[in-house]
Structure formats: structure tokens, C-alpha cells
Amino acid sequence: SVEVLQQLTGFDDLTIPQQLNLANIVTSQTPIDHLGELLPNLLKLRLVQSTVPTFRDMGTRLKKLQVLWMSRCGVEDLSGVFGLPNLEELYLSFNNIEYLDDLAMHENLQVLDLEANKVSEYDQLEHLGSCSKLNTLTLSGCPIVSGREAEYRRKVVKIVPTLEFLDDDEVRDDEGGDNDNDDNEGRMNLGSNNNSGDDFRRGDDMFFGGFDSGVGGISTQISWDDRAGGESKLV
């Protein structure tokens, strides 16, 4: 409710918060599909040590959300991700994701972290090839990476030609060729400044390790960083 979020964030005006951290959320017990309605200007959302099996649990009103961290949240189903039309960075490491068709044509997506998921088929990457701005992709720890690394990288870069970084390594010119007939066709390396989320991804466990508060019997933690005023509130 409005009153609960006001109490947890410390702000009466819920149009102010742009960043929200949640820990120990189980969406079947603590629904979060109302967040976009109550926090209409939310740009960054982080969920850790939580259980969010499907993106449908996120609701359809997080229209302005740009960055989402959901590492180790038991995500299995990406259906509903199109309810986040402005999403630019999506960090989903250590989940159970196998199918990527719901990400097709996600025109604003630039960074996608799928480390240690269940992606095993190159056909699934075809859906990412339709994401015209996708420049950074992480698949390390997925079954698809098994085999020769050079062959794997050439195949991925051919399918997703907009990539500039794959598994934290910059894509080289000679990785843009055909795997079966490597013609060494060059590709332009445009560079990237979109690795800002990497530090957050690596530090999730350390940053949230001490969260143990409870609200209404459900272990929940919300924090908000007011970047404009430099004031932080942690409830």
C-alpha cells in the first residue's frame, strides 16, 4: 500500500524515489506487481535473495525502469518482460532461464547478463539478434558455452552482430566471421561505456549480505538512494 511504502522509504511523495533495493521477497507471498503504480518514476530496481519465478510477477507498470538486477531469484520464465519497454540493462545471473524468445525485438536492451543459466541452444540467440542495441552479453556458465571457446564466440557474434563485449571480453574483429567458412570479415568496434552494472552484479552478495529485517512476517528490506540530494535512507 501507499502507506507501507511511505513508511519503508521515508518519503511521503512516492514520485521521488528512482532506485529501490528489495531482499528476501517471495512474490507468491509478497506481490510486487503494484510497484510501478506506486513508484511511477522508478529507474533502477534490485532484487536479491528473492524468489521471482516469472517476469509476470513484476506487473506491467514499471514503464520507466531502465536497470534491473535479479541475480539468484529463481527466474525461469521471461514472459512479461515486454512490460518493461525502457529496460536497458538486465542482470539475471544464476537463474534457471533456458528460452529467450520473450526478449525478441526488445529495442532498448543494451546489456544482458545470463551467466550460469540454462541456455543451451544457438537458436535461442536468434531472438537476441533482433535486439538492435544489445552490445554486452554474458553467457559464461551456460551449457551453450561447452566446446571450443573460439568456435562458440564466432557463432554468438555472427548471430548477434551488434555485440561489443561477450563474457566480459571485448569482441575482436576476427570473431565476426562465419564459423564454417571463416572469411575474417571485419566488423566495426564501436566501443562501450555500458559496463557500469558489472560492479553491482559482482557485489550483490556482499552488499546485501546483512539484510535480515522483517515487515508483516515477510523478511523484506527496501532502501532508496536519493541521488539528487545525496541523501540515503535505509529502513
Side-chain angles (χ1 to χ4, degrees):
S1 68
V2 171
E3 292 77 14
V4 171
L5 277 178
Q6 286 174 335
Q7 178 184 0
L8 290 172
T9 63
F11 290 96
D12 291 332
D13 184 357
L14 294 180
T15 66
I16 295 177
Q18 295 182 334
Q19 180 168 310
L20 183 67
N21 299 321
L22 298 174
N24 301 318
I25 293 290
V26 179
T27 54
S28 61
Q29 302 173 11
T30 308
I32 58 174
D33 57 352
H34 60 293
L35 284 178
E37 178 181 1
L38 299 180
L39 299 168
N41 293 312
L42 199 63
L43 300 179
K44 298 182 179 182
L45 175 62
R46 186 197 308 263
L47 293 103
V48 294
Q49 300 173 359
S50 298
T51 303
V52 188
T54 173
F55 268 69
R56 294 188 183 280
D57 292 346
M58 307 291 294
T60 60
R61 300 192 180 185
L62 289 165
K63 300 298 185 183
K64 295 185 178 181
L65 195 69
Q66 296 177 355
V67 185
L68 176 60
W69 292 269
M70 290 177 61
S71 177
R72 296 182 173 90
C73 285
V75 181
E76 299 178 353
D77 183 5
L78 293 176
S79 62
V81 71
F82 246 85
L84 310 174
N86 286 303
L87 198 62
E88 297 178 359
E89 301 182 22
L90 181 56
Y91 300 93
L92 294 170
S93 59
F94 297 94
N95 282 293
N96 301 307
I97 298 164
E98 182 176 0
Y99 302 109
L100 306 178
D101 49 305
D102 289 292
L103 289 172
M105 305 298 293
H106 212 299
E107 60 182 17
N108 289 310
L109 188 62
Q110 300 174 29
V111 178
L112 178 61
D113 179 7
L114 292 170
E115 178 181 358
N117 275 271
K118 294 183 177 181
V119 181
S120 61
E121 301 293 336
Y122 285 101
D123 288 350
Q124 290 302 313
L125 300 186
E126 297 284 353
H127 303 297
L128 302 184
S130 65
C131 299
S132 60
K133 296 182 180 179
L134 184 62
N135 58 62
T136 303
L137 176 63
T138 304
L139 292 169
S140 57
C142 293
I144 197 172
V145 183
S146 61
R148 293 190 304 165
E149 181 180 1
E151 179 182 6
Y152 150 75
R153 289 183 64 87
R154 283 197 300 268
K155 284 184 176 181
V156 174
V157 172
K158 181 182 178 182
I159 296 170
V160 191
T162 56
L163 287 184
E164 298 166 10
F165 290 88
L166 175 59
D167 296 339
D168 297 325
D169 289 328
E170 189 171 3
V171 172
R172 303 188 311 272
D173 289 346
D174 62 356
E175 290 177 328
D178 190 296
N179 179 58
D180 297 324
N181 182 20
D182 189 0
D183 56 9
N184 292 319
E185 180 180 344
R187 67 188 298 276
M188 182 178 294
N189 185 351
L190 301 178
S192 174
N193 292 320
N194 290 298
N195 54 4
S196 58
D198 232 19
D199 292 338
F200 288 99
R201 173 168 61 87
R202 302 300 182 192
D204 271 349
D205 292 338
M206 178 175 66
F207 188 80
F208 289 97
F211 281 12
D212 59 0
S213 64
V215 176
I218 303 299
S219 183
T220 306
Q221 180 70 33
I222 296 182
S223 68
W224 148 240
D225 174 21
D226 183 358
R227 295 186 300 172
E231 177 185 3
S232 294
K233 291 184 178 291
L234 185 64
V235 178

